[in-house]
Amino acid sequence: MMEVLKTRHIGFCFGVRRAIDMVMAEAEKEKGRIYTLGPIIHNPQMVEMLKEKGIIPIEDLREVREGTVVFRTHGIKKEEEEYIREKGLNFIDATCPFVKRVRKKAMFLEKNRYKVVIVGDREHPEVKSVLSYLHNNGIVLEKPTPIKAKKVGVVSQTTHGRESFFNIVSRLVEEVEELRVYNTICESTETRQKEAASLASMVDIMLIIGGKNSSNTTKLYETVKRENCKAYHIETEAEIDPEWFKGVNKIGITGGTSTPDHILDSVERFVKKL
Ligand code: SF4
């Protein structure tokens, strides 16, 4: 019989739970449709469930004539926020306070004449949001890269990997005259990465559960792979191939900050029956 072990911190983080609670409370008021600019969280199954409650992801704000717009956990762009306010649309700001902290620190650095470096994925909505609040003074680094500037201020995408963040910062220390660094990696992300690495060293195989579009889930998968542990990133148990578990005694399970409990429970039940 296989033993199934889970990380202590698993499933929704504070910011995601808060955002889901906010939209659900709004949906109960039944005051018309609720729109989120892009998916409110990076979990396709949860987004589908919310659609059934009238919470619809949209790509373009011009689609909204009535109802309420929700600022998703990763934040929206400055110009989008301005549009919503100018048009007088109802809105709920469900941006995670830790994401707002990144924005605040970046704006502080810009005000104090630092060239602002955001360590993260330039395609991620959080990074795009933070960048939009700077006046062409921000750059995004995904790996150690030389920079031409005397004063550099650094923040990190909340879900960025610790190791990569420290590598980029160490390279900058060698190059610039003045460096100011705010480690804005979210504690939930850091804790989950540490716990995933530690569990990976104790088991034969790890299942990382969460959206394929979820940055923090992908980072968990990469963390576990660095521990040389056999690992699979899945969204639901439908992707599991029982062949993976041949000769396996211990399975480790972890999930991203946007993975709902019901999916985690269902994967756990599934593997326990194998
Ligand atoms: S991972 Fe951290 S920053 Fe991102 S939503 Fe959760 S609590 Fe907020």
Side-chain angles (χ1 to χ4, degrees), residues 86-120:
E86 269 163 30
K87 292 278 169 195
L89 298 169
N90 288 333
F91 67 85
I92 306 173
D93 186 356
T95 313
C96 175
F98 299 125
V99 171
K100 280 197 174 161
R101 180 172 168 258
V102 182
R103 186 199 300 167
K104 230 168 121 185
K105 293 290 184 202
M107 288 166 78
F108 168 84
L109 288 167
E110 186 199 33
K111 203 168 144 223
N112 286 282
R113 300 178 187 285
Y114 288 87
K115 178 88 192 158
V116 183
V117 168
I118 306 165
V119 174

mmCIF file of all heavy atoms in Angstrom, residues 86-120:
data_model
loop_
_atom_site.group_PDB
_atom_site.id
_atom_site.type_symbol
_atom_site.label_atom_id
_atom_site.label_comp_id
_atom_site.label_asym_id
_atom_site.label_seq_id
_atom_site.Cartn_x
_atom_site.Cartn_y
_atom_site.Cartn_z
ATOM 1 N N GLU A 86 -13.111 56.347 -14.739
ATOM 2 C CA GLU A 86 -13.672 57.381 -15.626
ATOM 3 C C GLU A 86 -15.091 57.049 -16.074
ATOM 4 O O GLU A 86 -15.947 57.908 -16.152
ATOM 5 C CB GLU A 86 -12.812 57.512 -16.892
ATOM 6 C CG GLU A 86 -11.709 58.541 -16.765
ATOM 7 C CD GLU A 86 -10.658 58.348 -17.846
ATOM 8 O OE1 GLU A 86 -11.002 57.874 -18.950
ATOM 9 O OE2 GLU A 86 -9.481 58.662 -17.550
ATOM 10 N N LYS A 87 -15.325 55.772 -16.392
ATOM 11 C CA LYS A 87 -16.645 55.354 -16.872
ATOM 12 C C LYS A 87 -17.641 55.212 -15.733
ATOM 13 O O LYS A 87 -18.816 54.951 -15.954
ATOM 14 C CB LYS A 87 -16.553 53.998 -17.601
ATOM 15 C CG LYS A 87 -15.802 54.061 -18.892
ATOM 16 C CD LYS A 87 -16.685 54.565 -20.029
ATOM 17 C CE LYS A 87 -15.871 54.888 -21.261
ATOM 18 N NZ LYS A 87 -16.547 55.677 -22.238
ATOM 19 N N GLY A 88 -17.167 55.340 -14.511
ATOM 20 C CA GLY A 88 -18.046 55.234 -13.349
ATOM 21 C C GLY A 88 -18.593 53.826 -13.150
ATOM 22 O O GLY A 88 -19.707 53.648 -12.628
ATOM 23 N N LEU A 89 -17.840 52.811 -13.588
ATOM 24 C CA LEU A 89 -18.313 51.423 -13.423
ATOM 25 C C LEU A 89 -18.180 50.999 -11.962
ATOM 26 O O LEU A 89 -17.277 51.456 -11.250
ATOM 27 C CB LEU A 89 -17.486 50.472 -14.296
ATOM 28 C CG LEU A 89 -17.543 50.691 -15.815
ATOM 29 C CD1 LEU A 89 -16.481 49.850 -16.528
ATOM 30 C CD2 LEU A 89 -18.922 50.334 -16.347
ATOM 31 N N ASN A 90 -19.097 50.120 -11.525
ATOM 32 C CA ASN A 90 -18.948 49.543 -10.173
ATOM 33 C C ASN A 90 -17.725 48.650 -10.181
ATOM 34 O O ASN A 90 -17.497 47.937 -11.157
ATOM 35 C CB ASN A 90 -20.118 48.605 -9.836
ATOM 36 C CG ASN A 90 -21.379 49.368 -9.597
ATOM 37 O OD1 ASN A 90 -21.336 50.523 -9.188
ATOM 38 N ND2 ASN A 90 -22.502 48.717 -9.868
ATOM 39 N N PHE A 91 -16.992 48.664 -9.096
ATOM 40 C CA PHE A 91 -15.867 47.733 -9.056
ATOM 41 C C PHE A 91 -15.585 47.251 -7.635
ATOM 42 O O PHE A 91 -15.965 47.889 -6.657
ATOM 43 C CB PHE A 91 -14.602 48.362 -9.671
ATOM 44 C CG PHE A 91 -14.026 49.511 -8.886
ATOM 45 C CD1 PHE A 91 -13.152 49.299 -7.833
ATOM 46 C CD2 PHE A 91 -14.374 50.821 -9.207
ATOM 47 C CE1 PHE A 91 -12.619 50.362 -7.124
ATOM 48 C CE2 PHE A 91 -13.860 51.893 -8.495
ATOM 49 C CZ PHE A 91 -12.975 51.665 -7.449
ATOM 50 N N ILE A 92 -14.920 46.099 -7.577
ATOM 51 C CA ILE A 92 -14.413 45.576 -6.311
ATOM 52 C C ILE A 92 -12.927 45.355 -6.523
ATOM 53 O O ILE A 92 -12.531 44.711 -7.508
ATOM 54 C CB ILE A 92 -15.005 44.186 -5.976
ATOM 55 C CG1 ILE A 92 -16.506 44.202 -5.998
ATOM 56 C CG2 ILE A 92 -14.507 43.675 -4.651
ATOM 57 C CD1 ILE A 92 -17.077 42.797 -5.843
ATOM 58 N N ASP A 93 -12.120 45.855 -5.635
ATOM 59 C CA ASP A 93 -10.676 45.694 -5.777
ATOM 60 C C ASP A 93 -10.224 44.468 -4.976
ATOM 61 O O ASP A 93 -10.048 44.532 -3.766
ATOM 62 C CB ASP A 93 -9.954 46.962 -5.301
ATOM 63 C CG ASP A 93 -8.458 46.888 -5.564
ATOM 64 O OD1 ASP A 93 -8.001 45.833 -6.039
ATOM 65 O OD2 ASP A 93 -7.767 47.882 -5.299
ATOM 66 N N ALA A 94 -10.069 43.341 -5.679
ATOM 67 C CA ALA A 94 -9.647 42.109 -4.992
ATOM 68 C C ALA A 94 -8.143 41.863 -5.173
ATOM 69 O O ALA A 94 -7.657 40.761 -4.956
ATOM 70 C CB ALA A 94 -10.448 40.917 -5.517
ATOM 71 N N THR A 95 -7.413 42.927 -5.572
ATOM 72 C CA THR A 95 -5.954 42.771 -5.709
ATOM 73 C C THR A 95 -5.380 42.358 -4.359
ATOM 74 O O THR A 95 -5.698 42.966 -3.332
ATOM 75 C CB THR A 95 -5.301 44.116 -6.123
ATOM 76 O OG1 THR A 95 -6.039 44.683 -7.179
ATOM 77 C CG2 THR A 95 -3.853 43.923 -6.514
ATOM 78 N N CYS A 96 -4.531 41.344 -4.372
ATOM 79 C CA CYS A 96 -3.939 40.898 -3.105
ATOM 80 C C CYS A 96 -3.093 42.025 -2.502
ATOM 81 O O CYS A 96 -2.313 42.667 -3.206
ATOM 82 C CB CYS A 96 -3.063 39.670 -3.354
ATOM 83 S SG CYS A 96 -2.215 39.174 -1.858
ATOM 84 N N PRO A 97 -3.236 42.272 -1.197
ATOM 85 C CA PRO A 97 -2.439 43.334 -0.569
ATOM 86 C C PRO A 97 -0.928 43.144 -0.751
ATOM 87 O O PRO A 97 -0.188 44.121 -0.804
ATOM 88 C CB PRO A 97 -2.810 43.228 0.914
ATOM 89 C CG PRO A 97 -4.128 42.525 0.926
ATOM 90 C CD PRO A 97 -4.162 41.636 -0.274
ATOM 91 N N PHE A 98 -0.476 41.907 -0.905
ATOM 92 C CA PHE A 98 0.969 41.687 -1.115
ATOM 93 C C PHE A 98 1.403 42.108 -2.517
ATOM 94 O O PHE A 98 2.537 42.528 -2.717
ATOM 95 C CB PHE A 98 1.346 40.222 -0.847
ATOM 96 C CG PHE A 98 1.067 39.804 0.570
ATOM 97 C CD1 PHE A 98 0.276 38.706 0.858
ATOM 98 C CD2 PHE A 98 1.583 40.539 1.633
ATOM 99 C CE1 PHE A 98 0.010 38.336 2.164
ATOM 100 C CE2 PHE A 98 1.320 40.179 2.947
ATOM 101 C CZ PHE A 98 0.526 39.073 3.215
ATOM 102 N N VAL A 99 0.479 41.994 -3.466
ATOM 103 C CA VAL A 99 0.777 42.462 -4.820
ATOM 104 C C VAL A 99 0.811 43.994 -4.808
ATOM 105 O O VAL A 99 1.674 44.622 -5.422
ATOM 106 C CB VAL A 99 -0.284 41.945 -5.829
ATOM 107 C CG1 VAL A 99 -0.111 42.589 -7.189
ATOM 108 C CG2 VAL A 99 -0.226 40.425 -5.941
ATOM 109 N N LYS A 100 -0.115 44.581 -4.040
ATOM 110 C CA LYS A 100 -0.126 46.049 -3.938
ATOM 111 C C LYS A 100 1.171 46.552 -3.314
ATOM 112 O O LYS A 100 1.647 47.631 -3.617
ATOM 113 C CB LYS A 100 -1.314 46.506 -3.092
ATOM 114 C CG LYS A 100 -2.594 46.529 -3.876
ATOM 115 C CD LYS A 100 -3.607 47.351 -3.155
ATOM 116 C CE LYS A 100 -4.854 47.495 -4.002
ATOM 117 N NZ LYS A 100 -5.996 47.891 -3.226
ATOM 118 N N ARG A 101 1.726 45.745 -2.412
ATOM 119 C CA ARG A 101 2.977 46.130 -1.751
ATOM 120 C C ARG A 101 4.113 46.215 -2.783
ATOM 121 O O ARG A 101 4.927 47.140 -2.741
ATOM 122 C CB ARG A 101 3.304 45.099 -0.666
ATOM 123 C CG ARG A 101 4.560 45.391 0.075
ATOM 124 C CD ARG A 101 4.753 44.478 1.270
ATOM 125 N NE ARG A 101 6.092 44.621 1.767
ATOM 126 C CZ ARG A 101 7.080 43.771 1.535
ATOM 127 N NH1 ARG A 101 6.857 42.684 0.824
ATOM 128 N NH2 ARG A 101 8.281 43.993 1.998
ATOM 129 N N VAL A 102 4.127 45.272 -3.733
ATOM 130 C CA VAL A 102 5.160 45.296 -4.779
ATOM 131 C C VAL A 102 5.036 46.610 -5.556
ATOM 132 O O VAL A 102 6.013 47.317 -5.799
ATOM 133 C CB VAL A 102 5.006 44.113 -5.774
ATOM 134 C CG1 VAL A 102 6.115 44.132 -6.815
ATOM 135 C CG2 VAL A 102 4.964 42.780 -5.057
ATOM 136 N N ARG A 103 3.778 46.934 -5.905
ATOM 137 C CA ARG A 103 3.534 48.152 -6.679
ATOM 138 C C ARG A 103 3.991 49.392 -5.897
ATOM 139 O O ARG A 103 4.654 50.269 -6.434
ATOM 140 C CB ARG A 103 2.030 48.246 -6.968
ATOM 141 C CG ARG A 103 1.661 49.389 -7.883
ATOM 142 C CD ARG A 103 0.197 49.717 -7.768
ATOM 143 N NE ARG A 103 -0.650 48.600 -8.121
ATOM 144 C CZ ARG A 103 -1.959 48.566 -7.864
ATOM 145 N NH1 ARG A 103 -2.552 49.570 -7.244
ATOM 146 N NH2 ARG A 103 -2.673 47.531 -8.205
ATOM 147 N N LYS A 104 3.646 49.409 -4.606
ATOM 148 C CA LYS A 104 3.990 50.558 -3.761
ATOM 149 C C LYS A 104 5.507 50.746 -3.660
ATOM 150 O O LYS A 104 6.027 51.845 -3.783
ATOM 151 C CB LYS A 104 3.424 50.322 -2.349
ATOM 152 C CG LYS A 104 2.622 51.488 -1.822
ATOM 153 C CD LYS A 104 1.878 51.076 -0.604
ATOM 154 C CE LYS A 104 2.280 51.930 0.562
ATOM 155 N NZ LYS A 104 1.680 51.516 1.807
ATOM 156 N N LYS A 105 6.209 49.636 -3.462
ATOM 157 C CA LYS A 105 7.678 49.699 -3.345
ATOM 158 C C LYS A 105 8.280 50.152 -4.674
ATOM 159 O O LYS A 105 9.202 50.955 -4.704
ATOM 160 C CB LYS A 105 8.260 48.324 -2.986
ATOM 161 C CG LYS A 105 7.888 47.840 -1.588
ATOM 162 C CD LYS A 105 8.585 48.651 -0.528
ATOM 163 C CE LYS A 105 8.300 48.132 0.856
ATOM 164 N NZ LYS A 105 8.513 49.135 1.907
ATOM 165 N N ALA A 106 7.746 49.621 -5.788
ATOM 166 C CA ALA A 106 8.277 49.987 -7.103
ATOM 167 C C ALA A 106 8.065 51.484 -7.349
ATOM 168 O O ALA A 106 8.961 52.184 -7.835
ATOM 169 C CB ALA A 106 7.593 49.162 -8.194
ATOM 170 N N MET A 107 6.888 51.993 -6.973
ATOM 171 C CA MET A 107 6.600 53.415 -7.179
ATOM 172 C C MET A 107 7.479 54.289 -6.279
ATOM 173 O O MET A 107 7.924 55.356 -6.667
ATOM 174 C CB MET A 107 5.112 53.698 -6.944
ATOM 175 C CG MET A 107 4.240 53.143 -8.064
ATOM 176 S SD MET A 107 2.495 53.096 -7.643
ATOM 177 C CE MET A 107 2.046 54.800 -7.852
ATOM 178 N N PHE A 108 7.749 53.785 -5.079
ATOM 179 C CA PHE A 108 8.626 54.509 -4.151
ATOM 180 C C PHE A 108 10.036 54.614 -4.740
ATOM 181 O O PHE A 108 10.667 55.673 -4.725
ATOM 182 C CB PHE A 108 8.662 53.770 -2.796
ATOM 183 C CG PHE A 108 9.729 54.248 -1.872
ATOM 184 C CD1 PHE A 108 9.519 55.362 -1.059
ATOM 185 C CD2 PHE A 108 10.962 53.598 -1.805
ATOM 186 C CE1 PHE A 108 10.526 55.813 -0.211
ATOM 187 C CE2 PHE A 108 11.962 54.043 -0.966
ATOM 188 C CZ PHE A 108 11.751 55.153 -0.165
ATOM 189 N N LEU A 109 10.517 53.501 -5.298
ATOM 190 C CA LEU A 109 11.863 53.484 -5.886
ATOM 191 C C LEU A 109 11.923 54.459 -7.067
ATOM 192 O O LEU A 109 12.866 55.218 -7.224
ATOM 193 C CB LEU A 109 12.219 52.069 -6.352
ATOM 194 C CG LEU A 109 12.500 51.061 -5.232
ATOM 195 C CD1 LEU A 109 12.526 49.638 -5.766
ATOM 196 C CD2 LEU A 109 13.818 51.375 -4.514
ATOM 197 N N GLU A 110 10.864 54.420 -7.882
ATOM 198 C CA GLU A 110 10.844 55.301 -9.048
ATOM 199 C C GLU A 110 10.882 56.770 -8.613
ATOM 200 O O GLU A 110 11.630 57.570 -9.161
ATOM 201 C CB GLU A 110 9.581 55.031 -9.878
ATOM 202 C CG GLU A 110 9.598 55.805 -11.166
ATOM 203 C CD GLU A 110 8.232 55.934 -11.788
ATOM 204 O OE1 GLU A 110 7.220 56.015 -11.055
ATOM 205 O OE2 GLU A 110 8.173 55.956 -13.020
ATOM 206 N N LYS A 111 10.083 57.075 -7.581
ATOM 207 C CA LYS A 111 10.027 58.452 -7.078
ATOM 208 C C LYS A 111 11.404 58.908 -6.574
ATOM 209 O O LYS A 111 11.754 60.076 -6.651
ATOM 210 C CB LYS A 111 8.998 58.500 -5.939
ATOM 211 C CG LYS A 111 8.441 59.861 -5.695
ATOM 212 C CD LYS A 111 7.249 59.811 -4.782
ATOM 213 C CE LYS A 111 7.281 61.034 -3.903
ATOM 214 N NZ LYS A 111 6.975 60.764 -2.540
ATOM 215 N N ASN A 112 12.159 57.951 -6.083
ATOM 216 C CA ASN A 112 13.479 58.281 -5.548
ATOM 217 C C ASN A 112 14.595 58.059 -6.579
ATOM 218 O O ASN A 112 15.741 57.857 -6.225
ATOM 219 C CB ASN A 112 13.734 57.487 -4.264
ATOM 220 C CG ASN A 112 12.904 58.061 -3.126
ATOM 221 O OD1 ASN A 112 13.250 59.082 -2.542
ATOM 222 N ND2 ASN A 112 11.769 57.431 -2.868
ATOM 223 N N ARG A 113 14.192 58.097 -7.822
ATOM 224 C CA ARG A 113 15.111 58.094 -8.966
ATOM 225 C C ARG A 113 15.959 56.832 -9.133
ATOM 226 O O ARG A 113 17.095 56.874 -9.586
ATOM 227 C CB ARG A 113 16.040 59.326 -8.923
ATOM 228 C CG ARG A 113 15.283 60.619 -8.965
ATOM 229 C CD ARG A 113 16.186 61.804 -8.866
ATOM 230 N NE ARG A 113 15.431 63.029 -8.735
ATOM 231 C CZ ARG A 113 14.764 63.633 -9.712
ATOM 232 N NH1 ARG A 113 14.770 63.113 -10.912
ATOM 233 N NH2 ARG A 113 14.106 64.746 -9.500
ATOM 234 N N TYR A 114 15.411 55.720 -8.718
ATOM 235 C CA TYR A 114 16.078 54.450 -9.008
ATOM 236 C C TYR A 114 15.546 53.916 -10.323
ATOM 237 O O TYR A 114 14.369 54.116 -10.645
ATOM 238 C CB TYR A 114 15.764 53.402 -7.918
ATOM 239 C CG TYR A 114 16.441 53.659 -6.599
ATOM 240 C CD1 TYR A 114 15.844 54.483 -5.644
ATOM 241 C CD2 TYR A 114 17.674 53.078 -6.306
ATOM 242 C CE1 TYR A 114 16.455 54.719 -4.435
ATOM 243 C CE2 TYR A 114 18.292 53.313 -5.090
ATOM 244 C CZ TYR A 114 17.684 54.133 -4.153
ATOM 245 O OH TYR A 114 18.290 54.370 -2.955
ATOM 246 N N LYS A 115 16.415 53.255 -11.067
ATOM 247 C CA LYS A 115 15.942 52.478 -12.220
ATOM 248 C C LYS A 115 15.281 51.247 -11.605
ATOM 249 O O LYS A 115 15.913 50.521 -10.829
ATOM 250 C CB LYS A 115 17.147 52.058 -13.069
ATOM 251 C CG LYS A 115 16.785 51.223 -14.249
ATOM 252 C CD LYS A 115 16.480 52.116 -15.423
ATOM 253 C CE LYS A 115 15.835 51.380 -16.564
ATOM 254 N NZ LYS A 115 15.107 52.286 -17.435
ATOM 255 N N VAL A 116 13.997 51.015 -11.890
ATOM 256 C CA VAL A 116 13.289 49.935 -11.188
ATOM 257 C C VAL A 116 13.383 48.610 -11.957
ATOM 258 O O VAL A 116 13.027 48.532 -13.130
ATOM 259 C CB VAL A 116 11.804 50.296 -10.964
ATOM 260 C CG1 VAL A 116 11.111 49.198 -10.163
ATOM 261 C CG2 VAL A 116 11.685 51.643 -10.252
ATOM 262 N N VAL A 117 13.881 47.602 -11.256
ATOM 263 C CA VAL A 117 13.940 46.262 -11.832
ATOM 264 C C VAL A 117 12.872 45.406 -11.164
ATOM 265 O O VAL A 117 12.813 45.320 -9.938
ATOM 266 C CB VAL A 117 15.329 45.616 -11.589
ATOM 267 C CG1 VAL A 117 15.295 44.116 -11.913
ATOM 268 C CG2 VAL A 117 16.396 46.297 -12.434
ATOM 269 N N ILE A 118 12.016 44.816 -11.984
ATOM 270 C CA ILE A 118 11.046 43.859 -11.447
ATOM 271 C C ILE A 118 11.560 42.474 -11.837
ATOM 272 O O ILE A 118 11.677 42.168 -13.023
ATOM 273 C CB ILE A 118 9.637 44.069 -12.044
ATOM 274 C CG1 ILE A 118 9.198 45.525 -11.864
ATOM 275 C CG2 ILE A 118 8.630 43.118 -11.411
ATOM 276 C CD1 ILE A 118 7.996 45.909 -12.715
ATOM 277 N N VAL A 119 11.891 41.685 -10.845
ATOM 278 C CA VAL A 119 12.341 40.325 -11.144
ATOM 279 C C VAL A 119 11.093 39.462 -11.302
ATOM 280 O O VAL A 119 10.279 39.358 -10.369
ATOM 281 C CB VAL A 119 13.233 39.774 -10.007
ATOM 282 C CG1 VAL A 119 13.577 38.313 -10.272
ATOM 283 C CG2 VAL A 119 14.503 40.604 -9.890
ATOM 284 N N GLY A 120 10.913 38.887 -12.468
ATOM 285 C CA GLY A 120 9.701 38.086 -12.678
ATOM 286 C C GLY A 120 9.510 37.750 -14.141
ATOM 287 O O GLY A 120 10.408 37.941 -14.958
#
